[in-house]
Amino acid sequence: MKQWNCTAELEWLIAQVKDLSRQNGPDTSVETLLEEGFLIPTTKQLSTLKIEKEANTENLHVPRTFFRIWHPLLKVLHSQVFTQELLETMFVSLGQCTDQNLRAHYLSCWIYEVLLANQRAGDKKNTQNSHNQITAKNKWKLFTHKVFLQWKRLMQKCLESPCLATPKLLQLIFEYMKPSIPADTQEQLLALCSLYVQKGEYDLSVDYRDQPIYTVESLEWKIKQDSKSRAYNQWDRAAVQEEGDQEMSEQTEDDEMATEESYDEEYFDVINTKIGAERRAALHGTAWEVSEELVKWSEYPLGLVPGQTEDPGCLLVENYSEMSVLEQQGTESQMNGHGFPMSSPAVAPTPSENLLWSQSELNEIKAGLRLF
């Protein structure tokens, strides 16, 4: 294969991008690189480069042709701050993918390539190879030096963005992270990730009753069987409980009615005993007296008294007397002891021409009025 030599023009462009990245911060550069058409290729770019469009979830290596396009820029931008920001942002973007599309596949591939290249940077174990072979390998290494990464943050971002590639990426993080977490914790996290990301319905022909719950299929079968069992038990208990509740409800209503009646009687006894004495003392020496009968006034409409019917004719009396208005005024004058009625204030005399009726006419009108 023909070697790709970095020209002066390309070096100048890479230097300009590096300066812009320093001025605007790594987050701006990372967001731009992760847009469609850059680190994430379009279908048109893949067709031009003659790269298969179908994503292979088992292979997390970026196609070499596409890899070599971005190799010079990523090699120059590689630093602790930039690479950490790039990995975290790719994990977050991976979690926002709704399905395993082309973007999700290339995000997973670039995460895998960056983690692998950072760990292998500066590796000098292949001392048996010739100088030319070592030079050729170093030429296409993504990074020439290793940087320290915040492994716990990367592990957290990886777990927060589950996809089909999560178990493989998580295993790579566990392999490289320092300090490492306990082996049993690693196994449990990997097992949970594997269960979470796998898809498919459980086989109805398989009886999972006596099998340990190791897979999603057996867990779904167990949940379905338990739900059926609980539904049948709740149906039986509901039928029995409904009969018992009906009997208890009737008994409770009878008890409540008896309690209310007893309470009302006790309440009225206390009220009549306490207030009766005060009312009797206030009415002593008058024609009125307090009734000894227990009356529940809440049972009578406003304006009715006990024993009164709703017929207005019951208010008519059989024996009554009549008197004129003049006779009433004379009675009030005698009760007052003076020459003026109690209810009539003194009125200044007015000229007769201002009156509608004369005094004699007023007396005739009053004489015609009768009071019961």
Side-chain angles (χ1 to χ4, degrees), residues 176-233:
Y176 296 155
M177 72 181 302
K178 300 293 182 182
S180 60
I181 61 177
D184 56 344
T185 305
Q186 295 182 20
E187 293 179 1
Q188 292 173 2
L189 289 175
L190 288 172
L192 288 175
C193 287
S194 300
L195 291 175
Y196 187 83
V197 300
Q198 64 177 317
K199 297 181 180 180
E201 300 293 336
Y202 56 88
D203 189 359
L204 297 176
S205 62
V206 179
D207 187 0
Y208 298 94
R209 187 174 305 160
D210 298 329
Q211 296 183 6
I213 300 176
Y214 288 140
T215 63
V216 174
E217 290 79 7
S218 58
L219 180 61
E220 290 178 347
W221 188 91
K222 180 66 175 177
I223 293 174
K224 186 175 181 180
Q225 296 301 318
D226 292 345
S227 300
K228 288 182 178 180
S229 178
R230 284 196 300 269
Y232 292 141
N233 294 336

Side-chain angles (χ1 to χ4, degrees), residues 127-140:
T127 56
Q128 297 179 355
N129 295 334
S130 63
H131 177 72
N132 293 335
Q133 291 177 337
I134 295 175
T135 303
K137 288 186 177 181
N138 290 337
K139 180 178 178 62
W140 293 113

Side-chain angles (χ1 to χ4, degrees), residues 88-252:
E88 291 186 11
T89 307
M90 285 194 293
F91 275 123
V92 173
S93 182
L94 187 60
Q96 297 172 352
C97 296
T98 56
D99 53 3
Q100 298 300 319
N101 51 16
L102 189 66
R103 179 177 179 83
H105 173 67
Y106 272 86
L107 285 171
S108 303
C109 290
W110 278 117
I111 293 174
Y112 186 83
E113 292 282 7
V114 171
L115 291 174
L116 193 64
N118 182 69
Q119 185 65 23
R120 293 180 176 178
D123 190 1
K124 299 180 180 180
K125 292 182 179 180
N126 298 325
T127 56
Q128 297 179 355
N129 295 334
S130 63
H131 177 72
N132 293 335
Q133 291 177 337
I134 295 175
T135 303
K137 288 186 177 181
N138 290 337
K139 180 178 178 62
W140 293 113
K141 274 188 175 180
L142 185 58
F143 306 136
T144 57
H145 62 281
K146 188 195 315 186
V147 297
F148 174 78
L149 298 175
Q150 301 180 28
W151 293 105
K152 288 187 177 181
R153 287 181 57 86
L154 294 178
M155 180 184 67
Q156 181 180 359
K157 296 295 183 181
C158 182
L159 294 174
E160 291 175 355
S161 308
C163 65
L164 293 178
T166 298
K168 196 168 184 178
L169 297 176
L170 190 62
Q171 189 172 7
L172 195 64
I173 292 175
F174 288 155
E175 182 180 351
Y176 296 155
M177 72 181 302
K178 300 293 182 182
S180 60
I181 61 177
D184 56 344
T185 305
Q186 295 182 20
E187 293 179 1
Q188 292 173 2
L189 289 175
L190 288 172
L192 288 175
C193 287
S194 300
L195 291 175
Y196 187 83
V197 300
Q198 64 177 317
K199 297 181 180 180
E201 300 293 336
Y202 56 88
D203 189 359
L204 297 176
S205 62
V206 179
D207 187 0
Y208 298 94
R209 187 174 305 160
D210 298 329
Q211 296 183 6
I213 300 176
Y214 288 140
T215 63
V216 174
E217 290 79 7
S218 58
L219 180 61
E220 290 178 347
W221 188 91
K222 180 66 175 177
I223 293 174
K224 186 175 181 180
Q225 296 301 318
D226 292 345
S227 300
K228 288 182 178 180
S229 178
R230 284 196 300 269
Y232 292 141
N233 294 336
Q234 291 176 359
W235 179 271
D236 295 338
R237 288 197 300 268
V240 176
Q241 186 175 2
E242 185 177 357
E243 297 178 357
D245 291 345
Q246 186 174 2
E247 296 178 357
M248 292 182 63
S249 177
E250 295 176 355
Q251 181 65 29
T252 303

